[in-house]
Amino acid sequence: MLITEHALRNFTENIFLAMGCSAEHAKLAADVLLLADLRGIDSHGVARLTGYVRLWEKQRINATPDIKIVHQTPTTATVDGDAGLGLVVAPFAMQVAIDMADKYGSGWVSIRNSNHFGIAGYHALMAVEKDMIGIAMTNASPLVAPTFSNERLLGTNPMCYAFPAGKYPPLIVDMATSAAANGKLEIAQRSGKQVPEGWIQDENGNYTTDPHALKSGGSLLPLGSDREHGSHKGFGLSATVDILSAVLSGANYGPWVPPFVAFLEPPTDPVGKGIGHFLGAMRVDGFRPADEFKTHMDNWIQRFKSASTVDPSQKVIIPGEPELEAEIDRKKNGIPVVDVVVSDLNELAKKLGVSHLTGL
Amino acid sequence: MLITEHALRNFTENIFLAMGCSAEHAKLAADVLLLADLRGIDSHGVARLTGYVRLWEKQRINATPDIKIVHQTPTTATVDGDAGLGLVVAPFAMQVAIDMADKYGSGWVSIRNSNHFGIAGYHALMAVEKDMIGIAMTNASPLVAPTFSNERLLGTNPMCYAFPAGKYPPLIVDMATSAAANGKLEIAQRSGKQVPEGWIQDENGNYTTDPHALKSGGSLLPLGSDREHGSHKGFGLSATVDILSAVLSGANYGPWVPPFVAFLEPPTDPVGKGIGHFLGAMRVDGFRPADEFKTHMDNWIQRFKSASTVDPSQKVIIPGEPELEAEIDRKKNGIPVVDVVVSDLNELAKKLGVSHLTGL
């Protein structure tokens, strides 16, 4: 079904209002989800609404959190999200980072007691709008095995770096530190397709192309896939995200991160509170005049866009470019939402007494 | 040849003194190189001395640089290395970052007009010694092609994150953002061995296992190897390092980075000065009490060390662990230096009037 941005945004806001979120929080949370849907990252948009509601029903998400700074220096802070939606906790924390950067050049916030924060790019872009470099990371429920292990100890732990440019759109690196994001696996599971070797292993640590292997003790592999191709680097990046997000803030880390799905219970021996994020902002003009930086960013992008390619029909893709193209298209032509998600959302609407979704 | 740390350190210091470096700089530069040799990262230790001297002979390295801060806020700075050895420029800049972090919680320095800075871990560990998280990155001469391209546009651009722990040694993620570091390729070239598929491509963009393919227009592949396995992520990480190190500081970026070898001339149309680095320090106690952080770091490390493994004889390796084992061994038993490097160094010693190397 094709749905206008406006209709999908209203619907999403109404669901959050029905959960008891404040008008401000409902609007913000909807904005974070909508950006994912607009930018074509469908796994992180409204498709997750039902999941958030289920966690709220189980009282694992607090709809009226008292989000606050619990530790601070002029440019570092720890924020406690009070078990709120990551969709509102992370923007709060990013604003803290931006305010510190405004005053002192940079700002860094580690967040505990939060939940899934949507796409990392949303938070990083908040900094970019202020001519700052934005950094956003989060840990996540354990699905990935470290190199040599067959145990799920890490999340797909994404890291995002976003840079303002001049005539070009911002350059946004926003990536899971696993070989494949979980969303890609879910697509294969739904469509009954096999996945490439190097994405997952079975419970014994053998490569498998069965996307359902995760349900029988298998695990995702770190970026690099195997030791010979640098999976220890993907593991190292994922560890970095986990430590900055959770060991630093006092959230749960590694295998203690609570699952995103309500039907799985969190570990009974937590090592911290909720899940963790790490956000940062640095003023570009803390290093050189912003217009100089942007001119050179444009030159960088221009050079890479015009690189010689293996296949003349396949140009080099600047990080963030395909997402922007999707955003322009979907703002104009509507957001395609797959039928299973639409019926899921309409069932949710019925339960919460919210008007159902209507297509274009 | 097995050489004591003491003898190799003295020798290295003497070479730098013969280049005209100050006593302080010679000692510091030798310290950076020796740490690489001690930690088993032989490609970044004394094996590079001849290369530094050749660049100095060509006046591309300044032995008596006036290193200074050229732009600054309370927690951000740009340092101009005055074409000095990266081995002395980077520690200067990291000290600037640490001093800012001492006062304001964090400090971030982008560096231009520098040269090869040795192992990233040296600089990051300077922060760890002060109970800070250390970050170190550098761009490098272009050898890596972006996803879909057959053009060498990026260096192996390493990123390093180092975290203090309690009873365990610091956790140090120090990794090239290419599938394989150039040092590994050099080892294969010397020994006449083939390399695994996924490390390099030939000039047409086809996988090759010939380690010499780089000399005939081939290129290294980003971490992830191909699009299906996430090479766009390795490309994104490499781009991040390039932008933070060079677009932010005013150094050369992408294909404009000057080559590390003296027999190749730098591009005649530079977009900045020298090569660039990016260094950062964050006080752990800017987020939570340092002892709490370290206790949880120990718990993290303990949990991952005891993870279930595919092969019972191959435990999960904590990032930085193998390097520490090498350091303990080599401090005690001496540093093995391959014959070709020894004769190279002794020829250098003769030319510069320095005492030759003697083994154990």
Side-chain angles (χ1 to χ4, degrees), chain A residues 71 75-76 78 104 149-151 161 178 197 229 233 242 247 253 285-288 296 299-300 303 308, chain B residues 71 75-76 78 104 149-151 161 178 197 229 233 242 247 253 285-288 296 299-300 303 308:
Chain A
H71 193 104
T75 67
T76 64
T78 297
Y104 298 102
S149 175
N150 55 353
E151 216 181 336
Y161 290 89
S178 47
E197 284 210 345
H229 295 89
K233 299 178 184 184
D242 200 31
V247 180
Y253 44 81
D285 67 3
F287 298 92
R288 75 189 298 186
H296 282 283
N299 190 45
W300 193 102
R303 180 65 186 86
S308 136
Chain B
H71 194 104
T75 67
T76 64
T78 297
Y104 297 102
S149 176
N150 55 352
E151 218 182 333
Y161 290 88
S178 47
E197 283 210 344
H229 295 89
K233 299 178 184 184
D242 200 31
V247 179
Y253 44 81
D285 67 2
F287 297 91
R288 75 189 298 186
H296 282 283
N299 189 45
W300 194 103
R303 180 65 184 85
S308 135

Side-chain angles (χ1 to χ4, degrees), chain B residues 291-310:
Chain B
D291 58 342
E292 263 183 48
F293 176 81
K294 290 179 183 178
T295 301
H296 282 283
M297 277 302 295
D298 284 345
N299 189 45
W300 194 103
I301 293 168
Q302 177 65 45
R303 180 65 184 85
F304 279 75
K305 275 177 91 77
S306 59
S308 135
T309 54
V310 178

